[in-house]
Amino acid sequence: MKLSLKLIATFFVALMMSFNVFAAKITITMGGDDERAMREHYRFALDWAEENGHEIGYVYRPASATDTLNLYQQICSSGSSDIDIFMIDVIWPGIFADCAYDLNNIFDDAHKADFFEGIVGNNTVGGKYVAVPYFTDAGLLYYRTDLLDKYGKSPPSTWSELAETAQFIQDKERAAGNAKMQGFVWQGAAYEGLTCDGIEWVNSFGGGNIIEADGTVSINNPNAIAALKTAASWVGTISPEDVVTYKEEDARGVWQTGNAVFMRNWPYAWSRSQADDSPIKDKVGAMALPGGGSDGKMTGALGGWQLMVNKNSKNPEIAADLIKHMTSVEVMKTKAIDTSNLPTRPVLYDDPDVKAANPFFGMLFDTFNNAVARPSTVSHKYYGQVSNVFFNEVHSVLTGSKSAEDAAAAMEKDLKALSRKF
Ligand code: GLC
């Protein structure tokens, strides 16, 4: 009798859980490059909460990926359960594997098979499924179609063409009275974004990937040095002096007011540029970033964000259910249309509505597929330190406090020392 009562009680609890009868508060942290977009994403979480009788807490992450990393590391090392779901960068699964709830408990191989295999692989650390791919990213070159047409210029396929066109149009527009016109805006502050821009320059010059997949530190080479010198030559010529303090939204701020010929940014900037209230609506093109030098190739850095459940969460299964919703075909499709976030489900690249909202998705599919990855897999939990070395040294070249040769030698020394720990 005792046993059967216990059985009935267990059955009843299981039944209630299957209907999510227990209301839970799930706190999610997202945000960053584009707060407005993330607030739009938040509504999907609210829909889910309403439908399932739960509540949502929302915590904005800082705009800088580097500041976000520091914040999340503090939360994780304190063992806090305050945040249930973290939106984590594509370079962080190795760093946060220990803090993650194993999503293999929830998502089987059939579910994973609908996402890009490479990203699922990236998010699997020592067999643990750390996070579900939320959206992917690739660095792009944006250009003003109206200004290029006005001056009879073509979109550039090399950095020297870009510099020439940027300088030409900047000079002409300033002479015509637009003193604010800039040739090229990008991310030059000392943070993770500069690691992305920097690896693009280096890779586009045939200068490798900073640290190669086999652990070789490759950054101290003539092509990488040439790339860094080229970028430094833009500061104060085709780019404003204070580009060395810019993050994504600073660059977009200049661009979006119509005051830049070219901008390096991520796909989210497309939907913002094309918004109804945008002064540059229908005057924008997007393409792969230029190549440099004789070994060069057009390129773009791989970025993107994943959703991870905190292993200390009080409600990991319910949190995972929210992730399932946030990464569903329906939500991902709406997100791709409204905010130009690249889907992590290949099927959506064939969707006519997604293609209509983002004409560059199809054109740049190869760029997205061949995007250059930062060396996070090889350096796993040391990636944050690797990136710090790289962006600080690159920053010192941009500000003129170090030569490209000295910075490359310093990076080689520091990264070799770090790589002994990998
Ligand atoms: C974007 C990318 C991310 C990258 C960050 C750098 O958000 O998706 O991967 O680390 O920019 O600022």
Side-chain angles (χ1 to χ4, degrees):
M1 179 63 185
K2 231 181 177 179
L3 185 70
S4 61
L5 262 184
K6 200 171 162 192
L7 260 179
I8 291 168
T10 311
F11 174 75
F12 187 64
V13 168
L15 191 74
M16 294 218 302
M17 283 187 79
S18 71
F19 286 108
N20 282 336
V21 167
F22 296 123
K25 179 169 181 183
I26 301 297
T27 299
I28 183 164
T29 171
M30 301 196 303
D33 305 335
D34 188 359
E35 285 301 333
R36 190 166 134 196
M38 287 299 158
R39 275 197 295 274
E40 285 169 21
H41 298 185
Y42 175 50
R43 77 169 191 257
F44 300 118
L46 291 177
D47 291 346
W48 168 90
E50 196 175 322
E51 204 164 297
N52 295 283
H54 297 308
E55 217 187 305
I56 300 289
Y58 192 90
V59 176
Y60 288 122
R61 73 165 183 92
S64 151
T66 303
D67 295 343
T68 306
L69 174 61
N70 294 336
L71 174 73
Y72 288 6
Q73 280 182 314
Q74 278 169 27
I75 300 173
C76 279
S77 60
S78 74
S80 159
S81 61
D82 290 352
I83 307 261
D84 298 285
I85 298 176
F86 293 93
M87 186 176 90
I88 66 162
D89 205 326
V90 68
I91 50 193
W92 298 341
I95 298 177
F96 289 111
D98 289 345
C99 180
Y101 170 82
D102 189 354
L103 289 165
N104 277 319
N105 295 330
I106 313 283
F107 300 111
D108 59 12
D109 287 348
H111 182 267
K112 292 182 198 172
D114 291 337
F115 292 79
F116 282 118
E117 203 183 336
I119 313 179
V120 171
N122 177 76
N123 295 1
T124 307
V125 180
K128 190 187 247 192
Y129 190 31
V130 171
V132 181
Y134 186 42
F135 65 93
T136 179
D137 248 350
L140 297 177
L141 179 70
Y142 288 89
Y143 58 96
R144 284 280 300 279
T145 49
D146 59 328
L147 290 176
L148 263 56
D149 284 353
K150 179 170 167 193
Y151 294 105
K153 300 283 181 190
S154 316
S157 55
T158 64
W159 289 113
S160 49
E161 272 170 46
L162 178 141
E164 207 187 299
T165 303
Q167 189 76 60
F168 184 84
I169 299 181
Q170 179 182 289
D171 291 348
K172 292 277 185 201
E173 287 289 303
R174 286 187 188 178
N178 184 359
K180 287 190 177 158
M181 183 57 79
Q182 300 293 341
F184 182 34
V185 290
W186 37 280
Q187 295 74 42
Y191 79 119
E192 188 60 39
L194 180 54
T195 296
C196 299
D197 288 39
I199 200 172
E200 285 163 351
W201 307 328
V202 167
N203 193 261
S204 75
F205 268 78
N209 290 18
I210 309 171
I211 302 176
E212 304 308 310
D214 66 359
T216 311
V217 174
S218 63
I219 186 64
N220 193 4
N221 71 75
N223 287 342
I225 292 170
L228 298 183
K229 285 188 172 164
T230 301
S233 75
W234 302 328
V235 180
T237 56
I238 56 170
S239 306
E241 294 281 355
D242 66 354
V243 74
V244 297
T245 64
Y246 279 17
K247 297 196 275 289
E248 282 80 1
E249 284 291 84
D250 304 303
R252 194 176 67 82
V254 177
W255 163 258
Q256 186 99 32
T257 45
N259 290 326
V261 186
F262 296 108
M263 171 178 71
R264 184 271 175 212
N265 217 321
W266 305 99
Y268 81 92
W270 177 268
S271 62
R272 295 292 167 241
S273 306
Q274 290 294 82
D276 285 338
D277 60 354
S278 163
I280 51 171
K281 184 173 162 53
D282 297 329
K283 297 176 180 163
V284 176
M287 64 187 287
L289 288 153
S294 49
D295 303 328
K297 61 170 195 288
M298 294 175 83
T299 189
L302 175 71
W305 294 85
Q306 340 297 318
L307 296 175
M308 171 188 117
V309 174
N310 182 354
K311 74 166 182 210
N312 296 310
S313 163
K314 300 227 165 58
N315 298 292
E317 286 94 359
I318 300 176
D321 193 55
L322 172 56
I323 291 183
K324 193 180 210 169
H325 174 71
M326 302 282 284
T327 56
S328 64
V329 177
E330 297 70 30
V331 170
M332 207 177 277
K333 174 171 171 169
T334 312
K335 205 150 54 75
I337 293 170
D338 292 354
T339 57
S340 297
N341 284 147
L342 298 179
T344 52
R345 292 174 174 270
V347 70
L348 285 170
Y349 290 83
D350 292 327
D351 185 288
D353 303 330
V354 171
K355 288 203 277 197
N358 304 285
F360 67 101
F361 273 24
M363 270 153 43
L364 294 177
F365 194 69
D366 285 346
T367 308
F368 304 150
N369 269 340
N370 300 321
V372 50
R374 286 160 278 172
S376 55
T377 305
V378 63
S379 54
H380 51 102
K381 60 178 181 214
Y382 297 99
Y383 174 75
Q385 292 169 55
V386 165
S387 183
N388 265 277
V389 168
F390 182 73
F391 67 64
N392 281 320
E393 292 295 339
V394 172
H395 195 254
S396 68
V397 178
L398 297 177
T399 56
S401 69
K402 229 182 221 182
S403 70
E405 287 83 357
D406 287 353
M411 285 191 239
E412 180 175 44
K413 182 168 161 279
D414 291 352
L415 294 177
K416 276 191 171 158
L418 262 177
S419 72
R420 282 183 213 111
K421 300 187 193 166
F422 296 169

